[in-house]
Amino acid sequence: MTTSCSDDNYDPQPAPNTDAETSYVIAAQDDGTSYLITAPSLDEGTATVRGTGTEVLGGSYWVFKNQNYVFSLVYNKGGAGTGASYYLNAAGKPTERYLYEFNRITSYGTWGDKVVTVSTGDSKTTDAEGNIAQALLFNYLDENTGGQTEGAIDAENFLGNGEKVTFAGLEEANGKLYTSVVPMGMSRYGIGQWPDMVTDTELVAKADGGSASSSYTAGTIPSTQYPDRAWVAIYSGSSFAEKPVIVSTDKIGFACGRHRSQYYQTIWAAD
């Protein structure tokens, strides 16, 4: 059974076990099956899934959040994201806490006591012609309870240039959160709202095209008009609803790597 949960319907479970003798939890794979195993040390001895590993949901990404939970995040191409959280039970064995279904994942990171996934998708806002505005869609997985909540903010004209955006990576440093902001061209909604932001009408697609995550429809600008500029948003509070500081440079293109619909982090905290 797959469930979606929030902190509001949290049901008590045994407290996570942080016994030093089983304090190392390792994600491993054998014959295409994913496991979590424990080990008392990473410096000596051996660890094996044979007879000791706990079979788990195979994760595209694993996020180990402090001492309480490990989260498996699964990229399902164009489909909805799935995931799971695990904790150590009283016997020191990795145990499933929750299974999740949430908005598709194109990037992820941590912020405070939350594991965060992000993608860009349809909002509930439309214009008079029925064109749908795009939003940044967030999932928050709580490190203390394993619970899940969701949130969204406008992705349209985020940078003031009329383009919709997505985020690539989340990096915490110096009490702030940094994320690369990636412009992705103009939607039909965006062109209708900010027609003066179209730099060249020849960029507007005359017909549908592309495929999979690169598909587009007529009447949109399929890719950014600003390929030679990078933006980073800096949040000082604790919510994406707050207005961030935006810094930019024309020394590089947008600060992320990409493969299909996945946006990979290329900004990191320095010493």
Side-chain angles (χ1 to χ4, degrees), residues 81-121:
T82 54
S85 55
Y86 301 90
Y87 68 99
L88 291 180
N89 64 18
K93 184 177 179 63
T95 304
E96 182 182 289
R97 178 68 171 92
Y98 284 127
L99 291 177
Y100 308 107
E101 284 187 353
F102 40 56
N103 303 316
R104 62 193 292 261
I105 300 168
T106 58
S107 198
Y108 69 98
T110 63
W111 194 5
D113 61 358
K114 300 291 193 297
V115 173
V116 184
T117 74
V118 61
S119 62
T120 298

Side-chain angles (χ1 to χ4, degrees), residues 48-129:
T48 178
V49 302
R50 305 288 179 172
T52 61
T54 299
E55 186 172 340
V56 295
L57 180 72
S60 305
Y61 317 107
W62 287 94
V63 183
F64 290 78
K65 194 71 174 75
N66 296 336
Q67 297 291 322
N68 294 338
Y69 287 95
V70 56
F71 295 89
S72 170
L73 306 176
V74 184
Y75 163 55
N76 290 317
K77 298 183 178 179
T82 54
S85 55
Y86 301 90
Y87 68 99
L88 291 180
N89 64 18
K93 184 177 179 63
T95 304
E96 182 182 289
R97 178 68 171 92
Y98 284 127
L99 291 177
Y100 308 107
E101 284 187 353
F102 40 56
N103 303 316
R104 62 193 292 261
I105 300 168
T106 58
S107 198
Y108 69 98
T110 63
W111 194 5
D113 61 358
K114 300 291 193 297
V115 173
V116 184
T117 74
V118 61
S119 62
T120 298
D122 291 348
S123 74
K124 297 179 180 179
T125 301
T126 58
D127 63 17
E129 297 179 353

Side-chain angles (χ1 to χ4, degrees), residues 161-249:
N161 60 13
E163 297 201 4
K164 63 182 181 180
V165 303
T166 195
F167 286 172
L170 304 170
E171 185 68 23
E172 296 179 88
N174 307 315
K176 304 179 189 299
L177 182 80
Y178 299 76
T179 182
S180 174
V181 184
V182 184
M184 300 190 296
M186 295 184 71
S187 66
R188 293 175 67 95
Y189 177 92
I191 290 174
Q193 295 295 311
W194 304 282
D196 57 324
M197 298 293 184
V198 177
T199 60
D200 184 346
T201 56
E202 290 301 312
L203 296 174
V204 180
K206 305 301 188 295
D208 297 352
S211 62
S213 61
S214 296
S215 63
Y216 57 87
T217 58
T220 66
I221 297 180
S223 58
T224 183
Q225 303 168 96
Y226 307 94
D228 298 324
R229 179 168 289 276
W231 289 266
V232 172
I234 305 170
Y235 289 88
S236 297
S238 58
S239 170
F240 287 111
E242 300 167 4
K243 187 175 180 61
V245 171
I246 303 291
V247 296
S248 67
T249 177

